[in-house]
Amino acid sequence: MTSYKNQQLPLEKVFRDPVHDYIHVKHPVILDLINTKEVQRLRRVKQLGTTSFTFHGAEHSRFSHSLGVYELTRRICDFFESNFSSAKIGIGGWDDQERLVALCAALLHDVGHGPYSHTFEHIFHTDHEAITREIITSPETEVFQVLNRVEAGFPEKIAQVIAKTYPNPQVVQMISSQIDADRMDYLLRDAYFTGTEYGTFDITRILRVIRPYENGIAFQMNGMHAVEDYIVSRYQMYMQVYFHPVSRGMEVVLDHLLKRAHFLYQTDPDFFLYSAPLLVPFLRGDFTLQDYLTLDDGVLNTAFLQWLKAPDKILQDLAARFLHRRPFKSVMVEQDKDWQNLNQMAQWIEAVGYPLSYYTAINSSYDLPYDFYRPESKSHRTQIELMEPDGSLVELSQVSSLVAALAGQGQKDERFYFPKEMLTKPAQGQLFEEFYHQFQGKIHNGKIIHDKEFTHDDSTSYH
Ligand code: NI
């Protein structure tokens, strides 16, 4: 009998997908993983969290993204196997024995994401990457049971790919690099569901020019423009979608709402035992993997509905702002300028009766669209390599002046958030509005944060 590892489904299974058309499943291990309760939970977690408050189409789930990353990885493996197999080209070629490891890692790379991941992690200090590895390697999960049937030690191999410590760099870079199946899927999928055009790029072409080499993955020189277009799309999606100030205004409301619940739990645990029992392990700061796997968007939203009736006015008000979509308003703030004005605004906000730590925040978004390899930098990344016909490698920004212009340029958007009603308060409204307009297009001074104890919440990305 063929081993589980080498079996094929008698009939291939397909999932219809709006981005990749069909997602093809040929291997029973993949189908069994999709059917585990841990992977099915991802249907109940939105991929983009609060972005749907701005782009209402963006209701797609982490489940559809996970299938998409799997499908792109499968296509890359197929292409490598037909054109660059190690049997054919020797050293630096693709060894198709690695296919199942790559496919499982692709499907499972986000299995540890929780509801509104970024904000939840900020308040409760959870770590979705560590939890992903835990789900993969804990004997109690269905995911582990499927992987362990393949062979002993197989779950640990998948966890190594996620941790980027797996010995084969081709497999690691397929799932995680500056141009990988994960990013390629989320850019296309998020562009599709938000209805923006920025994220689209020529995936068909990229999947024709990608190739393995000894130290990882490269692209053929004649595919340079497709890769360049991908970098520009990435830059535009971050600037236009992921950094959107209104989505972040909702994220700040959510952050403060959870922070308030966390604070109140210390003095009134009973209220939370009946209004949000599934959140109690997190409020208490002592949770198990099973507690975590019970979480989804519905659990949080149901708690917020209960909190509309909370005795605490701040909890009640922040829950209403979140459920009824009343984002905090923001101004861009700038280093070394006008920090007195920001302090003045803070004083007015306080005078009206809003506690600053629940009603204001400095929120920074940051992304580095592309960088070349800098071994000295803190979190250095592999650069994108293009391969000349003679087999020599050139780093992308050496040949693309478009990418050279973006390389190493971090994109930052820093904002001060406050309740929108401040603009219409009779006493301070007019003055406040004047300041607000002065502030448009400026940034804060770091001092302010310490003087006034604003919440400092950095959002880098949703992924
Ligand atoms: Ni992902």
Side-chain angles (χ1 to χ4, degrees):
M1 210 183 91
T2 334
S3 67
Y4 186 47
K5 185 181 177 178
N6 297 316
Q7 271 172 31
Q8 295 277 304
L9 291 168
L11 270 180
E12 140 181 306
K13 172 105 179 150
V14 289
F15 294 77
R16 192 71 195 239
D17 183 76
V19 178
H20 305 306
D21 197 6
Y22 277 131
I23 285 163
H24 301 259
V25 176
K26 303 174 186 206
H27 212 293
V29 175
I30 299 299
L31 189 59
D32 291 344
L33 283 175
I34 292 172
N35 288 330
T36 59
K37 60 185 179 191
E38 293 87 17
V39 172
Q40 289 294 318
R41 182 188 67 103
L42 299 177
R43 290 182 185 271
R44 308 194 299 274
V45 178
K46 281 201 298 285
Q47 171 79 1
L48 287 184
T50 60
T51 297
S52 64
F53 286 111
T54 311
F55 298 92
H56 66 252
E59 294 276 347
H60 54 301
S61 68
R62 298 230 177 244
F63 178 81
S64 64
H65 165 63
S66 300
L67 286 188
V69 178
Y70 154 80
E71 174 62 17
L72 289 181
T73 305
R74 190 194 65 78
R75 289 180 193 179
I76 295 170
C77 291
D78 275 1
F79 183 67
F80 282 3
E81 173 59 6
S82 354
N83 298 281
F84 304 103
S85 71
S86 46
K88 200 188 287 177
I89 67 168
I91 295 168
W94 169 250
D95 174 5
D96 211 43
Q97 293 294 319
E98 300 279 24
R99 175 187 293 255
L100 195 57
V101 174
L103 295 182
C104 292
L107 181 64
L108 298 172
H109 79 285
D110 275 344
V111 76
H113 263 294
Y116 304 105
S117 239
H118 167 71
T119 313
F120 196 90
E121 293 190 359
H122 184 238
I123 300 296
F124 297 113
H125 309 293
T126 52
D127 172 351
H128 72 267
E129 262 186 46
I131 294 171
T132 295
R133 295 195 301 271
E134 204 183 330
I135 292 170
I136 291 169
T137 55
S138 293
E140 62 186 284
T141 66
E142 292 184 0
V143 161
F144 173 87
Q145 285 151 26
V146 171
L147 295 173
N148 205 45
R149 268 182 70 198
V150 173
E151 63 192 19
F154 194 68
E156 288 69 26
K157 282 187 182 177
I158 309 303
Q160 281 181 351
V161 179
I162 308 287
K164 301 189 206 179
T165 54
Y166 189 67
N168 185 331
Q170 293 169 354
V171 175
V172 173
Q173 288 179 31
M174 243 183 234
I175 315 294
S176 173
S177 61
Q178 293 199 70
I179 177 164
D180 58 31
D182 180 25
R183 282 183 201 281
M184 287 196 273
D185 182 79
Y186 78 62
L187 291 176
L188 292 173
R189 192 168 298 278
D190 297 347
Y192 178 89
F193 284 100
T194 52
T196 56
E197 296 289 320
Y198 319 108
T200 53
F201 53 89
D202 193 351
I203 184 75
T204 316
R205 181 75 186 141
I206 287 184
L207 296 183
R208 283 296 305 173
V209 298
I210 191 167
R211 57 161 300 159
Y213 78 102
E214 207 177 339
N215 299 316
I217 284 177
F219 297 84
Q220 312 207 107
M221 188 54 87
N222 60 7
M224 193 264 279
H225 293 295
V227 177
E228 188 178 58
D229 188 31
Y230 156 90
I231 299 287
V232 173
S233 296
R234 172 186 165 157
Y235 163 76
Q236 289 176 329
M237 279 298 280
Y238 274 83
M239 300 310 283
Q240 301 288 334
V241 176
Y242 305 136
F243 286 6
H244 199 287
V246 175
S247 315
R248 285 158 59 202
M250 288 302 290
E251 211 177 282
V252 172
V253 171
L254 178 64
D255 181 273
H256 291 3
L257 172 60
L258 292 173
K259 185 167 75 172
R260 185 66 179 169
H262 201 214
F263 171 78
L264 292 172
Y265 179 80
Q266 316 306 318
T267 50
D268 187 7
D270 288 352
F271 171 72
F272 294 94
L273 277 171
Y274 81 83
S275 70
L278 299 177
L279 289 180
V280 165
F282 302 92
L283 294 166
R284 204 176 50 213
D286 171 27
F287 66 93
T288 65
L289 183 58
Q290 287 311 317
D291 292 330
Y292 188 87
L293 288 168
T294 317
L295 295 176
D296 60 22
D297 291 352
V299 168
L300 287 200
N301 292 331
T302 306
F304 303 160
L305 283 163
Q306 296 284 355
W307 295 348
L308 289 176
K309 296 170 282 181
D312 180 75
K313 293 294 166 222
I314 295 177
L315 190 71
Q316 191 189 97
D317 177 59
L318 292 171
R321 284 174 195 262
F322 189 75
L323 289 169
H324 308 147
R325 194 199 176 276
R326 295 183 201 139
F328 286 142
K329 193 89 183 153
S330 68
V331 278
M332 276 185 96
V333 286
E334 198 180 346
Q335 297 280 2
D336 306 326
K337 278 186 190 167
D338 299 318
W339 58 272
Q340 290 108 328
N341 285 0
L342 201 43
N343 256 339
Q344 178 64 73
M345 285 173 103
Q347 273 172 26
W348 285 335
I349 293 168
E350 230 171 3
V352 171
Y354 293 117
L356 292 180
S357 62
Y358 292 112
Y359 285 90
T360 60
I362 300 279
N363 176 288
S364 311
S365 286
Y366 179 81
D367 182 53
L368 185 56
Y370 177 71
D371 205 4
F372 43 84
Y373 182 62
R374 294 172 205 263
E376 75 284 1
S377 78
K378 220 176 177 181
S379 56
H380 55 246
R381 13 174 115 188
T382 42
Q383 56 199 24
I384 298 180
E385 306 275 15
L386 297 172
M387 191 177 277
E388 299 275 19
D390 67 2
S392 59
L393 293 168
V394 188
E395 184 273 315
L396 175 63
S397 69
Q398 300 294 309
V399 280
S400 163
S401 46
L402 197 54
V403 173
L406 285 171
Q409 302 287 321
Q411 305 295 321
K412 190 172 183 181
D413 180 302
E414 195 158 30
R415 288 171 175 272
F416 173 63
Y417 280 88
F418 59 88
K420 192 178 179 183
E421 316 83 84
M422 283 310 295
L423 296 175
T424 50
K425 290 276 174 199
Q428 287 92 356
Q430 208 187 337
L431 281 171
F432 198 93
E433 200 171 354
E434 276 174 29
F435 272 79
Y436 171 73
H437 288 302
Q438 276 185 36
F439 260 113
Q440 297 278 15
K442 297 179 181 172
I443 312 193
H444 79 103
N445 183 306
K447 274 180 210 165
I448 285 276
I449 300 164
H450 306 299
D451 286 349
K452 279 294 174 189
E453 292 181 352
F454 292 121
T455 312
H456 205 167
D457 171 27
D458 296 328
S459 47
T460 20
S461 127
Y462 294 92
H463 303 101

